[in-house]
Every structure is written in C-alpha cells, then in structure tokens.
Amino acid sequence: MKPDSTARQLSSTPPSPHAGPPQPGMRPAGPPLPGRYKRYATWMIFIVVLVACSIHTDATPYQLIVGLPEMGKLLGEMFPPDWSYLPTIWKPMLETIQIAIVGTTLGAILAIPVALLCAYNVMPRKLISLPMRTILNLVRTIPDLLFASIFVAVFGIGPFAGMLALLFFSFGIIAKLTFEAIEAIDPGPLEAMTAVGASRIQVIAFGVVPQALPYFVSYLLYTFEVNVRAASVLGLVGAGGIGLLLDRSLGLFRYDRTSIIILLTLVIVLAIDYGSNLLRRKLL
C-alpha cells in the first residue's frame, strides 16, 4: 500500500469510543476558543439590549398577561360580525382599492427614470446618481401615514391626499428596489452593445430594460399589495377610503362593524396576494 493512501485512511477513520479522555495538552473537539467566546459575547450583548429595550418601553410579559383579559373582551364584542353593515362598506372599500391602484401606478412611472439615474452601471457620473439616491433616502424616511397627514393638511380631507401619500411611498420603494436590480443585471450584453457603437439610449432600451423589466413588475405588484393594506388605514387621518368607516366604528365602540371591515379587507388582500404570486411566477 502506498504511504499517501495509508495516510488518507488514517485521517478518515472515526475516533474510537474507547480512546479514553483527551490527554493533557490536547485541544478538545469543537470550534476554536476565540470563535466560541465571540459567539457567547454576541448572544450576551443581544440579550442585554433586548432586556434593556423591553424595560424602557414597558414591553414586558407582565403587560401582556395583564392585557389578555381585555383582549378577550374585545374579541368577544367583535364576534359575531355585523353582516348587515356589509353593503355600506363596499363603496369605501372600492375607493380604497382605486386609491392604491392610482398611487402605485403613478409612483412606479416616476420611479423608472430615477432608478436608471441611480444605477452606477447606467449612470456612472456620481454627481447625478448620488443626489438622486439622497432624494430616494429622504422619501423613504417618511412613513405613508405622515405623508397622508401632510397632504390632508395641504389638500384637505379626501382620497386625493391618500393617493398622493401612496404615490410617494410607492416611488421610494420601487425606485430603490429597481435600481438595485439594474446594478445586478448581466453586464455582458451592455458591454457588447457598447463595443459595437450603440448609443446610451440603445443600451438602456435593448440591454437594461429587458433584463430589469420582470423585477420591476414584481416590485410593482408587491408594492400594490402593501398599498392596499396601507390605504385601509389612511382614512384614520382623513385620507379617504375604508379607514374613515374603520375610525368611525372604533369611535362608536361598534366592534362588530370593525370586525366585518377587517374581514373584508383580509379577503381582498388575500385575493390580490394570490393573483400577484401567479403573475410573479410567470415573470421570474
């Protein structure tokens, strides 16, 4: 037998259970000690931070135990739902979906040129791409409810303020995800088109768009799902939609009506989610 084959057999042989305790000076099995201590220290820091945050925010198990009886009373008042209230909420629910459709579509259209200007492989000039990214970060910093409150103060109570809020919200999300998808596309076709003398517009139209379009549509559908949920609560600040009736039913302690609003919203969101998943599977 060759020496190297003998060495491979010895190295692959499992240790015998009768080998006895490790001898002094022998390193025990398992990860290296510095790595193990680092892992323990990371978990300790995480637990300390979690406990400190829970104490400072009163988010303790005691608060949950104290609130459970009240939660049970609320659920008891929500059921059975007031089914006679269903015809009243159809129109506001339809308005909610319309707000989400218009806000998402307009936000996605505005996101296309901004995403192209933010992607370094399309716009290598950082004097343009960096300010555009800064604007995107600023837009994404503001939550949709704050946008709705601002637009209600400017344009008054109604669905237009809610549509504008979802427009800016959609613009920030879709532009951010799309320019990251553009930067991850295959650079081969772009380099080949540039080598044969294609213009910048031709490279974008025939090299970038075909690769990034499925991701863009997928992000648009995902944002639409999120916006339907968000539009359901924009009415709490006066931005139209089903949220106005939700706020009214909560104010009148008609939790049986609140439950029928929640159930209808759930059914619509599930239907949109199912349709979006089907489209995404075909696109990606």
Coordinates of all heavy atoms in Angstrom, one line a residue, residues 30-84:
G30 N -14.5 20.7 18.6 CA -15.4 21.8 18.6 C -14.7 23.0 18.0 O -13.6 23.0 17.5
P31 N -15.5 24.1 17.9 CA -15.0 25.3 17.3 C -13.8 25.9 18.1 O -13.7 25.6 19.3 CB -16.2 26.3 17.3 CG -17.1 25.7 18.3 CD -16.9 24.3 18.4
P32 N -12.9 26.7 17.5 CA -11.8 27.3 18.2 C -12.4 28.2 19.4 O -13.4 28.7 19.3 CB -11.1 28.1 17.2 CG -11.6 27.5 15.9 CD -12.9 27.0 16.1
L33 N -11.6 28.3 20.4 CA -12.0 29.0 21.6 C -12.3 30.5 21.3 O -13.3 31.0 21.8 CB -10.9 28.9 22.7 CG -10.9 27.5 23.4 CD1 -9.8 27.5 24.4 CD2 -12.2 27.2 24.1
P34 N -11.4 31.2 20.6 CA -11.8 32.6 20.3 C -13.1 32.8 19.6 O -13.9 33.7 20.0 CB -10.6 33.1 19.5 CG -9.5 32.2 19.8 CD -10.1 30.9 20.1
G35 N -13.4 31.9 18.7 CA -14.7 32.0 18.0 C -15.8 31.7 18.9 O -16.9 32.3 18.8
R36 N -15.6 30.7 19.8 CA -16.7 30.4 20.7 C -17.0 31.5 21.7 O -18.1 31.8 21.9 CB -16.3 29.1 21.5 CG -17.5 28.4 22.2 CD -17.0 27.3 23.0 NE -16.2 26.3 22.3 CZ -15.6 25.3 22.9 NH1 -15.6 25.1 24.2 NH2 -14.9 24.4 22.1
Y37 N -15.9 32.1 22.2 CA -16.1 33.2 23.1 C -16.8 34.4 22.4 O -17.6 35.1 23.0 CB -14.8 33.7 23.7 CG -14.2 32.7 24.7 CD1 -12.8 32.6 24.8 CD2 -15.0 31.9 25.4 CE1 -12.3 31.6 25.7 CE2 -14.5 30.9 26.3 CZ -13.1 30.8 26.4 OH -12.5 29.9 27.2
K38 N -16.4 34.6 21.2 CA -17.1 35.7 20.4 C -18.5 35.5 20.2 O -19.4 36.4 20.3 CB -16.4 35.9 19.0 CG -16.8 37.1 18.3 CD -16.1 37.1 16.9 CE -14.6 37.2 17.0 NZ -14.0 37.4 15.7
R39 N -18.9 34.2 20.0 CA -20.3 33.9 19.8 C -21.1 34.1 21.1 O -22.2 34.6 21.1 CB -20.5 32.4 19.3 CG -21.9 32.1 18.8 CD -22.0 30.8 18.1 NE -21.6 29.7 19.0 CZ -20.6 28.9 18.8 NH1 -19.8 29.1 17.8 NH2 -20.3 27.9 19.6
Y40 N -20.5 33.6 22.2 CA -21.2 33.8 23.5 C -21.3 35.3 23.8 O -22.4 35.7 24.3 CB -20.3 33.1 24.6 CG -20.3 31.6 24.6 CD1 -19.3 30.9 25.1 CD2 -21.3 30.9 23.9 CE1 -19.2 29.5 25.1 CE2 -21.3 29.6 23.8 CZ -20.2 28.9 24.4 OH -20.2 27.5 24.3
A41 N -20.3 36.1 23.5 CA -20.4 37.5 23.8 C -21.4 38.2 23.0 O -22.2 39.1 23.5 CB -19.0 38.2 23.6
T42 N -21.6 37.8 21.7 CA -22.6 38.3 20.8 C -24.0 38.1 21.4 O -24.8 39.0 21.4 CB -22.4 37.8 19.4 OG1 -21.1 38.0 18.9 CG2 -23.5 38.4 18.5
W43 N -24.2 36.8 21.8 CA -25.5 36.5 22.4 C -25.8 37.2 23.7 O -26.9 37.7 23.9 CB -25.6 35.0 22.6 CG -26.0 34.2 21.4 CD1 -25.2 33.4 20.6 CD2 -27.3 34.2 20.8 NE1 -25.9 32.9 19.6 CE2 -27.2 33.3 19.6 CE3 -28.5 34.8 21.1 CZ2 -28.3 33.1 18.8 CZ3 -29.6 34.5 20.2 CH2 -29.4 33.7 19.1
M44 N -24.8 37.4 24.5 CA -25.0 38.1 25.8 C -25.3 39.6 25.5 O -26.2 40.2 26.1 CB -23.7 38.1 26.6 CG -23.4 36.7 27.2 SD -24.7 36.3 28.4 CE -24.5 37.5 29.6
I45 N -24.6 40.2 24.5 CA -24.9 41.6 24.2 C -26.3 41.7 23.6 O -27.1 42.6 24.0 CB -23.9 42.1 23.2 CG1 -22.5 42.2 23.8 CG2 -24.3 43.5 22.6 CD1 -21.4 42.6 22.9
F46 N -26.7 40.8 22.8 CA -28.1 40.8 22.2 C -29.1 40.7 23.3 O -30.1 41.4 23.3 CB -28.2 39.7 21.2 CG -29.6 39.5 20.6 CD1 -30.1 40.4 19.7 CD2 -30.4 38.4 21.0 CE1 -31.4 40.3 19.2 CE2 -31.7 38.3 20.5 CZ -32.2 39.2 19.6
I47 N -28.9 39.8 24.2 CA -29.9 39.6 25.3 C -30.0 40.8 26.2 O -31.1 41.3 26.6 CB -29.6 38.3 26.1 CG1 -29.7 37.1 25.3 CG2 -30.4 38.2 27.4 CD1 -29.2 35.8 25.9
V48 N -28.8 41.4 26.5 CA -28.8 42.6 27.4 C -29.6 43.8 26.7 O -30.4 44.5 27.3 CB -27.4 43.0 27.7 CG1 -27.3 44.4 28.3 CG2 -26.7 42.0 28.6
V49 N -29.3 43.9 25.4 CA -30.0 45.0 24.6 C -31.5 44.8 24.6 O -32.3 45.7 24.7 CB -29.4 45.1 23.2 CG1 -30.3 46.1 22.3 CG2 -28.0 45.6 23.2
L50 N -31.9 43.5 24.3 CA -33.3 43.1 24.3 C -34.0 43.4 25.6 O -35.1 44.0 25.6 CB -33.5 41.7 23.9 CG -34.9 41.1 23.7 CD1 -35.6 41.9 22.6 CD2 -34.9 39.6 23.5
V51 N -33.4 43.0 26.7 CA -34.0 43.2 28.0 C -34.0 44.7 28.3 O -35.1 45.2 28.9 CB -33.2 42.4 29.1 CG1 -33.6 42.8 30.5 CG2 -33.3 40.9 28.9
A52 N -33.0 45.5 28.0 CA -33.0 46.9 28.3 C -34.1 47.6 27.5 O -34.8 48.5 28.1 CB -31.6 47.5 28.0
C53 N -34.3 47.2 26.2 CA -35.3 47.9 25.4 C -36.7 47.5 26.0 O -37.6 48.4 26.0 CB -35.2 47.4 24.0 SG -33.7 48.0 23.1
S54 N -36.9 46.3 26.4 CA -38.2 45.8 26.9 C -38.5 46.6 28.2 O -39.7 47.0 28.4 CB -38.2 44.3 27.2 OG -37.9 43.6 26.0
I55 N -37.5 46.8 29.1 CA -37.8 47.5 30.3 C -38.1 49.0 30.1 O -39.1 49.5 30.6 CB -36.6 47.4 31.3 CG1 -36.4 45.9 31.7 CG2 -36.7 48.3 32.5 CD1 -35.2 45.6 32.5
H56 N -37.4 49.6 29.2 CA -37.6 51.0 28.9 C -38.9 51.3 28.2 O -39.4 52.4 28.3 CB -36.4 51.6 28.1 CG -35.2 51.9 29.0 ND1 -35.0 53.0 29.8 CD2 -34.1 51.1 29.2 CE1 -33.9 52.9 30.4 NE2 -33.3 51.8 30.1
T57 N -39.4 50.3 27.4 CA -40.6 50.5 26.7 C -41.8 49.9 27.4 O -42.9 49.9 26.8 CB -40.5 50.0 25.3 OG1 -40.1 48.6 25.3 CG2 -39.5 50.8 24.5
D58 N -41.6 49.3 28.6 CA -42.7 48.6 29.3 C -43.2 47.4 28.5 O -44.4 47.1 28.6 CB -43.8 49.5 29.7 CG -43.4 50.4 30.9 OD1 -42.5 49.9 31.6 OD2 -43.9 51.5 31.0
A59 N -42.5 46.9 27.5 CA -42.9 45.8 26.7 C -42.5 44.5 27.4 O -41.6 43.8 27.0 CB -42.4 45.8 25.3
T60 N -43.1 44.2 28.5 CA -42.7 43.1 29.3 C -43.8 42.0 29.3 O -45.0 42.3 29.0 CB -42.5 43.5 30.8 OG1 -43.7 44.1 31.3 CG2 -41.4 44.6 30.9
P61 N -43.5 40.7 29.6 CA -44.5 39.7 29.7 C -45.6 40.1 30.7 O -46.8 39.6 30.5 CB -43.7 38.5 30.2 CG -42.4 38.7 29.7 CD -42.2 40.2 29.8
Y62 N -45.3 40.9 31.7 CA -46.4 41.2 32.7 C -47.5 42.1 32.0 O -48.7 41.9 32.3 CB -45.7 42.1 33.8 CG -46.7 42.6 34.8 CD1 -47.4 41.8 35.7 CD2 -47.1 44.0 34.8 CE1 -48.3 42.4 36.6 CE2 -48.0 44.5 35.6 CZ -48.6 43.7 36.6 OH -49.5 44.2 37.4
Q63 N -47.1 43.0 31.1 CA -48.1 43.8 30.4 C -48.9 42.9 29.5 O -50.2 43.2 29.4 CB -47.3 44.9 29.6 CG -46.5 45.9 30.3 CD -47.4 46.8 31.1 OE1 -48.5 47.0 30.8 NE2 -46.9 47.3 32.2
L64 N -48.3 41.9 28.9 CA -49.1 41.0 28.1 C -50.1 40.2 28.9 O -51.3 40.1 28.5 CB -48.2 40.1 27.3 CG -48.8 39.0 26.4 CD1 -49.6 39.8 25.3 CD2 -47.8 38.1 25.8
I65 N -49.7 39.7 30.1 CA -50.6 38.9 30.9 C -51.7 39.8 31.4 O -52.9 39.4 31.5 CB -49.8 38.3 32.1 CG1 -48.8 37.3 31.5 CG2 -50.7 37.6 33.1 CD1 -47.8 36.8 32.5
V66 N -51.4 41.1 31.8 CA -52.5 42.0 32.3 C -53.5 42.3 31.2 O -54.7 42.4 31.5 CB -51.8 43.2 32.9 CG1 -52.9 44.3 33.2 CG2 -51.0 42.9 34.1
G67 N -53.0 42.5 30.0 CA -53.9 42.9 28.9 C -54.7 41.8 28.2 O -55.6 42.0 27.5
L68 N -54.3 40.5 28.5 CA -55.0 39.4 27.9 C -56.5 39.4 28.2 O -57.3 39.1 27.3 CB -54.4 38.1 28.3 CG -53.1 37.7 27.5 CD1 -52.5 36.4 28.0 CD2 -53.4 37.6 26.0
P69 N -57.0 39.6 29.4 CA -58.4 39.6 29.7 C -59.2 40.7 28.8 O -60.3 40.4 28.3 CB -58.6 39.9 31.2 CG -57.3 39.4 31.7 CD -56.3 39.7 30.7
E70 N -58.6 41.9 28.7 CA -59.2 43.0 27.9 C -59.2 42.6 26.4 O -60.2 42.9 25.7 CB -58.4 44.3 28.1 CG -58.4 44.8 29.5 CD -59.9 45.2 29.9 OE1 -60.7 45.6 29.0 OE2 -60.2 44.9 31.1
M71 N -58.2 41.9 26.0 CA -58.2 41.4 24.6 C -59.3 40.4 24.4 O -60.0 40.4 23.3 CB -56.8 40.8 24.2 CG -56.6 40.5 22.8 SD -55.0 39.7 22.4 CE -53.9 41.0 23.0
G72 N -59.5 39.6 25.3 CA -60.6 38.6 25.2 C -61.9 39.3 25.2 O -62.8 38.9 24.4
K73 N -62.1 40.3 26.0 CA -63.4 41.1 25.9 C -63.6 41.7 24.6 O -64.7 41.7 24.0 CB -63.4 42.1 27.0 CG -63.5 41.6 28.4 CD -63.5 42.8 29.4 CE -63.5 42.2 30.9 NZ -63.4 43.4 31.8
L74 N -62.5 42.3 24.0 CA -62.7 43.0 22.7 C -63.0 42.0 21.6 O -63.9 42.2 20.8 CB -61.3 43.6 22.4 CG -61.3 44.3 21.0 CD1 -62.3 45.5 20.9 CD2 -59.9 44.9 20.7
L75 N -62.4 40.8 21.6 CA -62.7 39.8 20.6 C -64.1 39.3 20.8 O -64.8 39.0 19.8 CB -61.7 38.6 20.7 CG -60.3 38.9 20.3 CD1 -59.4 37.7 20.6 CD2 -60.2 39.3 18.8
G76 N -64.6 39.2 22.0 CA -66.0 38.8 22.3 C -67.0 39.8 21.7 O -68.0 39.4 21.3
E77 N -66.6 41.1 21.8 CA -67.5 42.2 21.2 C -67.4 42.2 19.7 O -68.3 42.8 19.1 CB -67.2 43.5 21.8 CG -67.4 43.6 23.3 CD -67.1 44.9 23.9 OE1 -66.7 45.8 23.1 OE2 -67.1 45.1 25.1
M78 N -66.3 41.7 19.1 CA -66.2 41.8 17.7 C -67.0 40.6 17.0 O -67.3 40.7 15.8 CB -64.7 41.7 17.3 CG -63.9 42.9 17.7 SD -62.1 42.7 17.3 CE -62.2 42.9 15.5
F79 N -67.3 39.6 17.7 CA -68.0 38.5 17.1 C -69.3 38.3 17.8 O -69.4 38.4 19.0 CB -67.1 37.2 17.2 CG -66.0 37.2 16.3 CD1 -64.7 37.7 16.8 CD2 -66.1 36.9 15.0 CE1 -63.6 37.7 15.9 CE2 -65.0 36.9 14.1 CZ -63.7 37.4 14.6
P80 N -70.4 38.0 17.0 CA -70.4 37.8 15.6 C -70.3 39.1 14.8 O -70.8 40.2 15.4 CB -71.7 37.1 15.3 CG -72.6 37.6 16.4 CD -71.7 37.7 17.6
P81 N -69.7 39.2 13.6 CA -69.7 40.4 12.9 C -71.1 40.9 12.5 O -72.0 40.1 12.3 CB -68.8 40.1 11.6 CG -68.1 38.8 12.0 CD -69.0 38.1 13.0
D82 N -71.2 42.2 12.3 CA -72.5 42.8 11.8 C -72.6 42.7 10.3 O -72.1 43.6 9.6 CB -72.5 44.3 12.3 CG -73.9 44.9 11.9 OD1 -74.8 44.2 11.5 OD2 -74.0 46.1 12.1
W83 N -73.1 41.6 9.8 CA -73.2 41.4 8.4 C -74.1 42.4 7.7 O -73.9 42.6 6.5 CB -73.6 39.9 8.1 CG -72.7 38.9 8.6 CD1 -72.8 38.2 9.7 CD2 -71.4 38.5 8.0 NE1 -71.7 37.3 9.9 CE2 -70.9 37.5 8.8 CE3 -70.7 38.9 6.8 CZ2 -69.6 36.9 8.5 CZ3 -69.5 38.3 6.6 CH2 -69.0 37.3 7.4
S84 N -75.0 43.0 8.4 CA -75.9 44.0 7.8 C -75.1 45.2 7.4 O -75.6 46.0 6.6 CB -77.0 44.3 8.7 OG -76.5 45.0 9.9

